Amino acid sequence: MARSVTIETDEGFLADLRRAFDVETDEEAVKEAAMRLAKYMRRQDFIEAVRTGQIDLQYDVRGEHGKGSAA
């Protein structure tokens, strides 16, 4: 679902975002910044889940915990 949001921010900040993401419009720059932040946060959550054992990367689809797959 798309949603429209109005924000007030410094023009210099928007110029920095446009330059950093190599885009032409403020809208593109803000969308790109928001998307990258959301992806970064999801990656950090995944890494933390692996680190704390909530996700076990050694667990294969057959349920043989710790043995890995023969694929």
Side-chain angles (χ1 to χ4, degrees), residues 23-34:
V23 296
E24 294 184 18
T25 68
D26 294 345
E27 181 179 354
E28 290 174 300
V30 171
K31 281 182 181 180
E32 187 66 23

Side-chain angles (χ1 to χ4, degrees), residues 2 21 55 59:
F21 299 129
I55 295 176
Y59 192 84

Side-chain angles (χ1 to χ4, degrees), residues 3-57:
R3 182 167 178 194
S4 180
V5 177
T6 301
I7 61 171
E8 291 184 32
T9 189
D10 181 77
E11 193 59 40
F13 176 74
L14 289 171
D16 290 344
L17 286 178
R18 286 191 308 269
R19 190 171 32 259
F21 299 129
D22 194 29
V23 296
E24 294 184 18
T25 68
D26 294 345
E27 181 179 354
E28 290 174 300
V30 171
K31 281 182 181 180
E32 187 66 23
M35 185 64 67
R36 288 187 186 203
L37 176 59
K39 287 180 180 181
Y40 173 81
M41 291 173 62
R42 288 177 182 174
R43 282 192 305 271
Q44 295 298 55
D45 289 346
F46 175 77
I47 290 167
E48 182 65 12
V50 170
R51 189 187 71 73
T52 61
Q54 293 174 347
I55 295 176
D56 183 356
L57 297 178

